């Protein structure tokens, strides 16, 4: 309750709530505390391995004792030293994992990176993302490895496999994360380099669907009825928002263009429309529409775009990105030192 100090049990419930993926407000509600109490508690006691109830309670007691002055007994001091030794060993393990393994030897302070990860996740939660999904997404964004397995996410976030699985499923539904198979029948979770553009297009597509559904509803209820007027206004709003996000393009068509570009980059050689359609499992006209869009809007797939060559299409650098002299130099036709 407000005004009463947090107990060891309270902190264990906070840790359990975080592991479950609950946000600060829900944890506060379950404990009967202000949300600010929970957020301050986590921020004050966050460590490289996340929030640990026992460590948080011990650190709080130490801070409280320090404010009162040196009055601990010899036995209490010995206990603190023992706990310090264990905490220090765990800290060294976490630092080794974060700096030597995860951080590929880069000189980063694990406590600073952990605090950033927590702030980053909190920001995503404020925008509407579930807390566990935000933590998983944050871990994937900040890993130097480029991908993480379920076991690695469980170890890094100190959560259950079920929590990771649920969060990954949610992120997959948003087209933010994809799975890739690696030797040994394991799966890793990856964020592609164009994920933010893909997410933007997915959002635009959803806005368009909202707009179309609202306009359908206006027709059903009658355009001259109060419900119909509201639905028509809603339809215009979401339709306009989708157009602004895509420049008036069909979001699905723009997504198809990016897929075709990725396919050509992977193929590393000319492919015809028919070959691309067969490989992608699409109708040929769908591929042709994406290629036609690339010829009209080279900025969408920038800095790569399809180009017609003998034998089909290849992926090339956008002409607008390089000058003629730069292209010639990179092709070996220029003279260095001019």
């Amino acid at each position: 309750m407000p005004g009463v100090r947090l107990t060891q049990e309270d902190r264990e419930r906070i840790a359990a709530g975080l592991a479950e993926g609950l946000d600060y407000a829900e944890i506060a509600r379950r404990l009967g505390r202000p949300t600010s109490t929970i957020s301050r508690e986590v921020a004050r006691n966050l460590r490289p391995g996340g929030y640990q109830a026992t460590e948080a309670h011990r650190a709080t007691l130490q801070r409280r004792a320090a404010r009162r002055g040196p009055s601990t007994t010899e036995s209490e001091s010995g206990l603190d030293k023992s706990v310090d030794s264990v905490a220090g060993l765990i800290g060294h393990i976490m630092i080794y994992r974060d700096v030597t393994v995860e951080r590929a030897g880069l000189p980063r302070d694990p406590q600073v990176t952990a605090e950033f990860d927590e702030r980053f996740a909190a920001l995503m939660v404020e925008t509407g993302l579930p807390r566990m999904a935000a933590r998983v997404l944050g871990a994937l964004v900040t890993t130097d490895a480029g991908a993480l397995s379920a076991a690695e996410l469980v170890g890094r976030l100190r959560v259950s496999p079920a929590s990771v699985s649920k969060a990954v499923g949610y992120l997959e539904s948003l087209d933010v994360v994809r799975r890739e198979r690696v030797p040994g029948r394991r799966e890793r979770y990856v964020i592609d380099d164009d994920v933010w553009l893909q997410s933007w297009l997915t959002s635009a597509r959803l806005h368009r669907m909202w707009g179309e559904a609202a306009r359908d509803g206006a027709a059903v209820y009658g355009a001259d009825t109060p419900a119909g007027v509201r639905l028509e206004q809603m339809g215009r709003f979401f339709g306009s928002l989708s157009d602004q996000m895509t420049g008036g393009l069909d979001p699905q068509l723009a997504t198809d263009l990016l897929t075709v570009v990725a396919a050509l980059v992977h193929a590393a050689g000319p492919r015809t429309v028919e070959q691309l359609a067969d490989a992608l499992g699409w109708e040929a006209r769908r591929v042709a529409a994406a290629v036609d869009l690339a010829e009209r809007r080279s900025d969408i797939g920038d800095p790569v775009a399809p180009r017609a060559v003998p034998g089909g299409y290849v992926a090339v650098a956008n002409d607008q990105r390089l000058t003629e002299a730069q292209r010639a130099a990179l092709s070996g036709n220029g003279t260095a030192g001019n």
Side-chain angles (χ1 to χ4, degrees), residues 85-98:
S85 298
V86 176
L89 175 60
I90 294 174
H92 284 303
I93 293 173
M94 295 301 298
I95 291 172
Y96 179 83
R97 185 205 69 180
D98 283 351

Side-chain angles (χ1 to χ4, degrees), residues 3 10 28 42 51 82 102 125 129 134 157 191 210 213 216-217 241 243 252 263 265-266 269 312 314-315 323-324:
D10 289 334
V42 175
Y51 177 87
S82 298
E102 167 64 13
V125 169
L129 203 63
L157 302 178
I191 295 180
W210 272 101
D216 288 344
L241 185 58
D243 288 344
Q252 182 60 56
V265 170
H266 180 77
V314 294
T323 66
E324 184 176 350

Side-chain angles (χ1 to χ4, degrees), residues 168 171-172 175-180 188-192:
V168 168
L171 293 172
E172 283 184 309
D175 294 329
V176 172
V177 170
R178 68 174 176 85
R179 302 169 188 252
E180 69 174 17
R188 297 193 309 172
Y189 306 118
V190 183
I191 295 180
D192 290 322

Side-chain angles (χ1 to χ4, degrees), residues 66-255:
R67 288 194 295 269
R68 289 198 302 264
S71 59
T72 56
T73 64
E74 183 177 350
S75 61
E76 289 173 332
S77 177
L79 176 61
D80 282 346
K81 288 180 180 177
S82 298
V83 175
D84 275 337
S85 298
V86 176
L89 175 60
I90 294 174
H92 284 303
I93 293 173
M94 295 301 298
I95 291 172
Y96 179 83
R97 185 205 69 180
D98 283 351
V99 176
T100 305
V101 180
E102 167 64 13
R103 304 301 185 182
L106 296 176
R108 298 171 185 161
D109 185 328
Q111 182 168 346
V112 173
T113 57
E115 290 173 353
F116 169 80
D117 292 346
E118 184 65 25
R119 291 199 312 271
F120 193 40
L123 176 61
M124 289 187 281
V125 169
E126 288 183 10
T127 65
L129 203 63
R131 177 167 176 77
M132 183 51 62
R135 294 187 67 200
V136 169
L137 181 58
L140 291 172
V141 168
T142 58
T143 178
D144 288 323
L148 293 171
S149 67
E152 289 168 335
L153 283 168
V154 167
R156 178 176 176 134
L157 302 178
R158 303 292 184 86
V159 296
S160 68
S163 296
V164 168
S165 178
K166 182 177 179 180
V168 168
Y170 180 84
L171 293 172
E172 283 184 309
S173 71
L174 300 179
D175 294 329
V176 172
V177 170
R178 68 174 176 85
R179 302 169 188 252
E180 69 174 17
R181 182 73 63 178
V182 295
R185 294 185 297 178
R186 290 195 314 152
E187 284 186 337
R188 297 193 309 172
Y189 306 118
V190 183
I191 295 180
D192 290 322
D193 291 339
D194 67 344
V195 65
W196 312 121
L197 178 57
Q198 292 282 7
S199 298
W200 179 270
L201 293 173
T202 297
S203 179
R205 186 163 56 250
L206 292 174
H207 289 325
R208 174 166 291 195
M209 292 171 60
W210 272 101
E212 292 173 349
R215 284 191 292 269
D216 288 344
V220 170
Y221 282 93
D224 56 346
T225 65
V229 170
R230 284 194 297 271
L231 287 166
E232 180 61 30
Q233 290 175 340
M234 176 181 173
R236 286 199 302 269
F237 171 79
F238 280 105
S240 175
L241 185 58
S242 177
D243 288 344
Q244 291 176 26
M245 293 177 71
T246 62
L249 295 173
D250 180 352
Q252 182 60 56
L253 182 56
T255 301

